[in-house]
Amino acid sequence: MQLEEQQQLVLWLEVALERQHLELDRQLTLQQKKHEQNIQLLLQHIQEHVEERQATSRLQFQGMIQALEKELAHSMWVNQELNQKLSTSHLGGQGRGMERNVAGDRPASLRMQENFSTYGMLEQTVEKSRDLVHAPLPSTWRRSSQSTANMLIPDDLHQKNVEFLLQAGQAE
């Protein structure tokens, strides 16, 4: 009888050991799943953070691009105005060779975009000039009593601008 009791005890211990082994496997599997979920959650947070940074960077770059496009449109407008002034100046036909067709080799969509940009810049310039014209004069402002010999006459100023532009064109 002792042998049978010992065999039953051994069998019972083997079953208990097997049950314990299965329970440990189950707990390990649960911990692995939980760990996998935590890793997925961390990856998701990292991905969202990266996307936010990319969106912020993208917005910053778009803002910089828009500012550069406005600056380019303004520069092109100023260039066109200067070329027109140069061609209509008292130099006659001398400045006409320097004139350049800004829209010459551009597709129609770019020319239209430039026209809209130029129109917008022109509106802003007109608004600024209106503000300046209607601005009140400072209380300390007085008419200058200096002689006009030292002051540049607009034609002289225009002539100096034309000479500078001609020199700059030759330097290029």
Side-chain angles (χ1 to χ4, degrees):
M1 181 141 157
Q2 241 182 1
L3 184 63
E4 282 183 22
E5 286 179 11
Q6 285 182 353
Q7 284 178 348
Q8 271 187 336
L9 187 58
V10 168
L11 185 62
W12 182 79
L13 287 174
E14 286 176 354
V15 169
L17 184 62
E18 184 67 28
R19 193 176 300 137
Q20 189 68 27
H21 183 67
L22 290 174
E23 181 64 25
L24 288 176
D25 282 346
R26 188 183 66 79
Q27 287 179 356
L28 181 62
T29 304
L30 287 175
Q31 283 181 346
Q32 286 174 342
K33 285 182 180 180
K34 195 180 248 186
H35 180 72
E36 181 79 24
Q37 288 173 348
N38 287 337
I39 287 177
Q40 291 298 325
L41 185 63
L42 285 173
L43 288 174
Q44 184 178 3
H45 285 301
I46 289 171
Q47 182 68 27
E48 289 172 358
H49 183 68
V50 166
E51 288 173 357
E52 287 174 8
R53 285 179 109 186
Q54 286 176 345
T56 302
S57 297
R58 190 175 306 123
L59 288 175
Q60 289 173 347
F61 285 131
Q62 286 175 347
M64 290 169 49
I65 288 170
Q66 288 175 350
L68 289 172
E69 285 174 345
K70 286 180 181 178
E71 185 178 344
L72 175 64
H74 178 70
S75 298
M76 290 175 67
W77 178 76
V78 168
N79 184 27
Q80 188 176 20
E81 288 292 315
L82 290 175
N83 283 334
Q84 288 176 357
K85 287 179 182 179
L86 185 62
S87 67
T88 59
S89 70
H90 57 52
L91 293 177
Q94 291 179 359
R96 292 177 196 246
M98 299 286 291
E99 195 171 54
R100 202 173 65 128
N101 185 357
V102 175
D105 296 331
R106 293 189 181 11
S109 61
L110 284 177
R111 286 193 304 253
M112 190 166 54
Q113 182 181 6
E114 289 169 1
N115 289 340
F116 284 129
S117 298
T118 303
Y119 180 72
M121 296 300 284
L122 183 61
E123 282 182 340
Q124 290 176 356
T125 306
V126 167
E127 287 297 320
K128 286 179 184 177
S129 65
R130 279 189 192 144
D131 291 343
L132 290 175
V133 168
H134 298 294
L137 295 174
S139 60
T140 58
W141 183 80
R142 281 184 254 156
R143 187 175 276 238
S144 175
S145 60
Q146 296 179 350
S147 68
T148 58
N150 293 337
M151 298 175 66
L152 286 177
I153 301 172
D155 288 337
D156 290 340
L157 181 61
H158 182 70
Q159 179 65 28
K160 288 192 181 287
N161 283 340
V162 169
E163 290 172 3
F164 175 75
L165 288 172
L166 287 173
Q167 288 175 355
Q170 292 171 359
E172 288 179 4

